[in-house]
Amino acid sequence: MKRLSSVLPALAGLLLSHALTTPALADDTTAPETTTAAAPAAVPKTVELGSIQVQSTRLNRARDTLNPETGTSNYHFDTQSIAALPQGADAPLQSLILQAPGVAQDSFGQLHVRGDHADIQYRINGIIIPEFISGFGDTLGTRFISKVDFLTGSLPAQFGYRTAGVVDITTNDGLQSPGGSVDLYGGSHATFQPSAEYGSSDGNLDYYVTGTYLQSDEGIESPTASNSPIHDDTEQNRLFAYGSYLINPDLRLGVIAGHSLGNFQIPNNPGLTPSFQYLNQPPIPSADLNETQRELNDYGIVSLQGIRDQLNYSVALFNRYSSTDFHPDDIGDLIYNGVAAQVFQRNIATGIQADASDAISDTHTLRWGLFTDQERTSSDSNSLVFPANPDGSQSSTTPLTIPDSTLKTGELYGAYLQDEWLASKTLTLNYGLRYDISNGFLRESQVSPRVNVVYTLDDATKLHLGYSRYFTPPELELIAPKDIALFQGTTNQLPSGVNTDVKAERDDYYDAGITHDFTSAWQVGVDGYYKDARNLLDEGQFGPALIFSPFNYARGRVWGMELTSTYTDGDFSTYYNLAYSRALGNQVVSGQFNFSPDELVYIQDHFVHLDHDQTWTSSGGVSYDWLGTRYSLDGIFGSGLRAGFANTGSLPSYTQFDLAASRSITLPGTGEFSVRFAIVNLLDRVYEIRDGTGIGVGAPQFGPRRGFFLGLMKTF
């Protein structure tokens, strides 16, 4: 905090100086689109000063120029894309991102992009939101979204830290989305999900707020194929607020606040055989266990965005609080697992992000910026364990209590400079450098060159090539070092006594692709990539709490190909994606205590599949408006994630289709309503996402069974 506090006075002085020297404003009251972006046009200065909406739109366009997309694979989603989802705005954000190529689903709502474990960066209005501690809930949702740009591939120097994919969300506001709505949604699994939103403006001020409450009997993927999971209730709420104030025609103050709270029962797997004896008590059936987890996430952003001639800039202060609290079933966990651990993890992140762009000529746009983030993370656990004999067998039926806690402060510092050069009418280059420092359990740094090229072959065809050097620090909020000696001679003795600190991943990333517009309605793209990694980061669920822990492979190789196609013609739209991927790692070099000696020896001599490596992934959908009713069908396919000893096996392939119909109706005396009927897993196919085996996989999880849902929304 001392480092950050020393920067704030100087920053405040700079912003105040700009505000005082700028003239004041007079008061006056579909399916995803795929692009390979080229250089942005300069933001025009000629505007109508009496119109707040014109000024806000102009500043929004200026904000977009801060985030270059040259050479990336960019997939656009807007409000029509969200409305076309079978569950509409009631769908989790993961459902929207699954419409992009190369995105594979996992249990607990996780997504994997191009063979990476998570490694997704979320931004709101261009501002990075530090990662939340892994959990089950949908922390962000889709209701507050105006549009999403999902970037993958070789990213420009602007983007660091989480680089498999960037989810850049533009929020609704009170100027573009005035008015409000109330939505009641529910159905199978005792699902009840009311929500509301409202946006408006008053003079130079505009604001937007939304809130959602969810109650369901199916909070987490079931460990069995049953349509009625045991002990799987959840209660969640989510709030989001956005506000902005136009200080003058060229300066805007913005505030964002978000909150999510989720309470989850951990579903039970009946019929398990006890492994340990607790005192003289009879065993508790595994169907009767009572484990729970509570997840809390809050974040806030204050930003100042401005324009001066050709210079666009944004400075933001952010803060994020994230915690996870796992409560075991003391007796039940002891007799089935030999350990019952109450685990509480908390992380507080505070930082500054500044970005600027300057069109210094007709052919060159310079961009530069900095990022600093200070995180304070803590982990506290109290574990009940049994004393054990040297062979690991229980030596006493009376448990011991072992406390273990850690506290760590870490920092991230980053800076970048890049130039977007329009070399000719057909050739655009974006080249630059970024420099990052990670100071956590280890202090590491890297200079990362980036270069992207976009070449327009003709009016319908674009080719892009890119190289990026990546530096990916481990997520500090997930690192909870164990005191290995504490559990020696107990039923929670770790498989190995070796534990090396987790390191930052360093990559050489190559990407090439081509897009072609066969017609104005039909676009097709093909993309290929290769990543050569050192200290490849992966994550697994190794502890009793459902929290993921990072570890490193010494080397990693990830490569693949993607095909995407979109077609939109009037009331009809469709999309299809097909991706091939391979993700391999060799030699575990951190977190070794989580692995059995046999696995460590095997991985030492073999490149093994990462647990989230799925060879084939596909998604597609169709939406059609017929006689006032919107029909939509979405489907996903996966060849199966990895399983077995050292991930040498794989799960069977699966498909899931979701269907919906929606339309507006008028009810006597109440006005117009929007009605939506959705079926999740239309064919009721039973499939396993995980089977409880593989590296870092704690328990089996099944995909959702068929569910019927009805939504009713009233706008005003």
Side-chain angles (χ1 to χ4, degrees):
M1 293 300 294
K2 290 182 179 179
R3 291 185 178 91
L4 294 179
S5 62
S6 65
V7 176
L8 295 181
L11 179 64
L14 175 64
L15 299 179
L16 181 60
S17 172
H18 177 88
L20 293 176
T21 57
T22 308
L25 175 69
D27 291 335
D28 191 345
T29 54
T30 308
E33 175 189 354
T34 307
T35 65
T36 302
V43 179
K45 179 75 175 183
T46 336
V47 291
E48 180 185 351
L49 293 180
S51 171
I52 303 298
Q53 182 143 359
V54 169
Q55 297 294 346
S56 178
T57 301
R58 173 172 171 261
L59 285 164
N60 287 344
R61 292 201 306 269
R63 185 177 62 200
D64 290 342
T65 68
L66 295 173
N67 299 299
E69 303 167 0
T70 306
T72 65
S73 295
N74 191 354
Y75 307 96
H76 301 282
F77 304 94
D78 54 18
T79 52
Q80 292 182 340
S81 304
I82 295 173
L85 291 169
Q87 297 184 80
D90 295 296
L93 181 57
Q94 294 92 328
S95 296
L96 184 67
I97 306 305
L98 277 171
Q99 290 190 345
V103 182
Q105 72 164 347
D106 201 345
S107 54
F108 309 144
Q110 292 186 98
L111 298 176
H112 305 299
V113 180
R114 291 190 168 189
D116 266 298
H117 185 105
D119 194 24
I120 300 174
Q121 181 180 114
Y122 292 89
R123 294 182 170 218
I124 297 180
N125 292 344
I127 309 302
I128 296 173
I129 302 296
E131 296 93 346
F132 304 102
I133 297 176
S134 303
F136 313 121
D138 178 25
T139 304
L140 297 175
T142 58
R143 189 165 297 278
F144 72 97
I145 294 175
S146 172
K147 67 172 184 175
V148 173
D149 291 321
F150 179 65
L151 283 70
T152 64
S154 175
L155 301 177
Q158 173 119 8
F159 302 100
Y161 310 122
R162 308 293 163 234
T163 52
V166 176
V167 179
D168 193 0
I169 299 170
T170 300
T171 67
N172 291 328
D173 60 47
L175 289 171
Q176 309 298 327
S177 306
S181 67
V182 175
D183 187 355
L184 295 178
Y185 179 81
S188 298
H189 315 298
T191 299
F192 177 60
Q193 183 173 314
S195 59
E197 60 182 330
Y198 182 75
S200 185
S201 60
D202 183 7
N204 294 0
L205 173 70
D206 80 273
Y207 57 91
Y208 170 86
V209 294
T210 183
T212 299
Y213 171 82
L214 171 63
Q215 180 178 302
S216 175
D217 290 346
E218 190 176 56
I220 306 172
E221 291 91 349
S222 173
T224 71
S226 171
N227 198 29
S228 301
I230 303 171
H231 191 262
D232 198 11
D233 292 357
T234 185
E235 187 174 359
Q236 306 172 42
N237 60 69
R238 187 169 58 243
L239 298 170
F240 177 84
Y242 166 82
S244 73
Y245 183 79
L246 212 57
I247 299 172
N248 57 53
D250 296 332
L251 193 63
R252 175 170 61 182
L253 177 70
V255 177
I256 290 173
H259 160 83
S260 70
L261 174 64
N263 293 292
F264 300 88
Q265 293 179 335
I266 309 302
N268 295 331
N269 195 354
L272 300 180
T273 302
S275 301
F276 302 93
Q277 174 70 44
Y278 175 76
L279 301 178
N280 295 318
Q281 294 188 14
I284 300 173
S286 60
D288 296 338
L289 301 186
N290 184 26
E291 298 175 332
T292 61
Q293 186 155 303
R294 182 178 186 269
E295 302 169 2
L296 174 63
N297 297 292
D298 293 314
Y299 58 93
I301 300 171
V302 178
S303 64
L304 197 63
Q305 185 215 337
I307 303 173
R308 174 176 285 182
D309 297 326
Q310 299 302 312
L311 174 67
N312 302 317
Y313 65 89
S314 172
V315 180
L317 310 179
F318 60 83
N319 180 266
R320 191 267 296 129
Y321 175 93
S322 183
S323 67
T324 298
D325 194 0
F326 174 79
H327 288 265
D329 185 303
D330 287 346
I331 298 176
D333 282 13
L334 277 169
I335 65 175
Y336 287 99
N337 303 321
V339 57
Q342 180 177 344
V343 179
F344 178 75
Q345 286 189 221
R346 177 180 61 190
N347 181 276
I348 302 172
T350 304
I352 300 172
Q353 179 181 330
D355 300 287
S357 71
D358 191 355
I360 60 175
S361 71
D362 292 339
T363 57
H364 288 274
T365 299
L366 289 181
R367 294 185 177 91
W368 64 94
L370 61 86
F371 178 87
T372 178
D373 172 32
Q374 184 182 83
E375 298 190 25
R376 187 173 178 84
T377 186
S378 61
S379 176
D380 297 283
S381 67
N382 282 287
S383 302
L384 292 172
V385 295
F386 293 118
N389 297 309
D391 63 358
S393 62
Q394 183 178 2
S395 63
S396 171
T397 62
T398 303
L400 308 170
T401 300
I402 299 178
D404 190 13
S405 62
T406 59
L407 179 65
K408 182 66 178 177
T409 299
E411 298 92 17
L412 282 176
Y413 303 99
Y416 68 90
L417 174 65
Q418 59 189 340
D419 174 33
E420 190 164 20
W421 175 28
L422 185 61
S424 69
K425 292 183 179 180
T426 58
L427 181 65
T428 303
L429 291 89
N430 192 88
Y431 53 94
L433 292 171
R434 70 173 292 125
Y435 177 62
D436 295 291
I437 299 173
S438 172
N439 185 23
F441 287 91
L442 295 172
R443 183 179 177 87
E444 301 177 274
S445 62
Q446 179 174 290
V447 176
S448 304
R450 312 277 181 89
V451 59
N452 286 282
V453 179
V454 176
Y455 182 70
T456 303
L457 299 176
D458 53 48
D459 291 341
T461 309
K462 288 183 179 180
L463 173 70
H464 67 269
L465 301 168
Y467 165 78
S468 293
R469 178 77 169 147
Y470 288 146
F471 176 78
T472 305
E475 298 180 34
L476 189 67
E477 70 275 9
L478 298 184
I479 302 176
K482 290 182 172 61
D483 189 337
I484 298 173
L486 286 177
F487 295 96
Q488 293 294 325
T490 73
T491 50
N492 192 41
Q493 182 169 318
L494 298 168
S496 169
V498 181
N499 181 25
T500 306
D501 286 330
V502 184
K503 303 177 181 66
E505 180 179 323
R506 303 169 188 267
D507 304 325
D508 290 299
Y509 192 98
Y510 307 88
D511 182 271
I514 188 169
T515 60
H516 181 72
D517 299 343
F518 284 97
T519 68
S520 60
W522 182 26
Q523 297 84 39
V524 174
V526 179
D527 205 278
Y529 59 91
Y530 177 80
K531 182 175 82 169
D532 182 21
R534 288 187 298 134
N535 298 322
L536 174 70
L537 277 171
D538 200 357
E539 295 174 4
Q541 185 218 323
F542 298 106
L546 299 183
I547 300 172
F548 290 90
S549 300
F551 64 94
N552 296 106
Y553 293 96
R555 294 297 305 270
R557 300 171 184 166
V558 181
W559 68 92
M561 293 285 294
E562 295 171 353
L563 168 68
T564 182
S565 173
T566 62
Y567 181 88
T568 303
D569 185 9
D571 294 329
F572 177 81
S573 64
T574 184
Y575 72 95
Y576 177 72
N577 305 308
L578 178 65
Y580 169 85
S581 177
R582 269 288 179 256
L584 306 174
N586 169 250
Q587 190 179 349
V588 177
V589 292
S590 66
Q592 298 95 330
F593 63 86
N594 292 308
F595 293 79
S596 69
D598 289 346
E599 277 187 321
L600 287 175
V601 170
Y602 184 84
I603 300 171
Q604 179 79 18
D605 299 327
H606 298 81
F607 271 90
V608 299
H609 296 276
L610 307 187
D611 69 285
H612 52 272
D613 183 21
Q614 183 165 267
T615 306
W616 293 99
T617 302
S618 181
S619 61
V622 60
S623 178
Y624 181 57
D625 194 327
W626 184 55
L627 299 179
T629 299
R630 171 67 64 175
Y631 298 93
S632 58
L633 175 70
D634 278 352
I636 57 174
F637 165 83
S639 59
L641 301 176
R642 307 304 300 186
F645 172 80
N647 297 335
T648 51
S650 63
L651 293 170
S653 61
Y654 64 88
T655 55
Q656 178 182 321
F657 293 99
D658 299 338
L659 177 69
S662 61
R663 70 171 297 139
S664 295
I665 62 173
T666 301
L667 300 178
T670 58
E672 190 175 55
F673 284 81
S674 295
V675 180
R676 177 182 300 271
F677 176 68
I679 306 175
V680 174
N681 197 351
L682 175 66
L683 304 179
D684 200 23
R685 293 187 180 274
V686 177
Y687 65 92
E688 277 188 300
I689 302 174
R690 296 289 192 181
D691 69 353
T693 68
I695 296 173
V697 180
Q701 290 98 31
F702 282 76
R705 297 294 302 273
R706 182 164 52 206
F708 301 91
F709 301 92
L710 181 66
L712 185 65
M713 183 175 70
K714 171 66 176 175
T715 58
F716 55 89

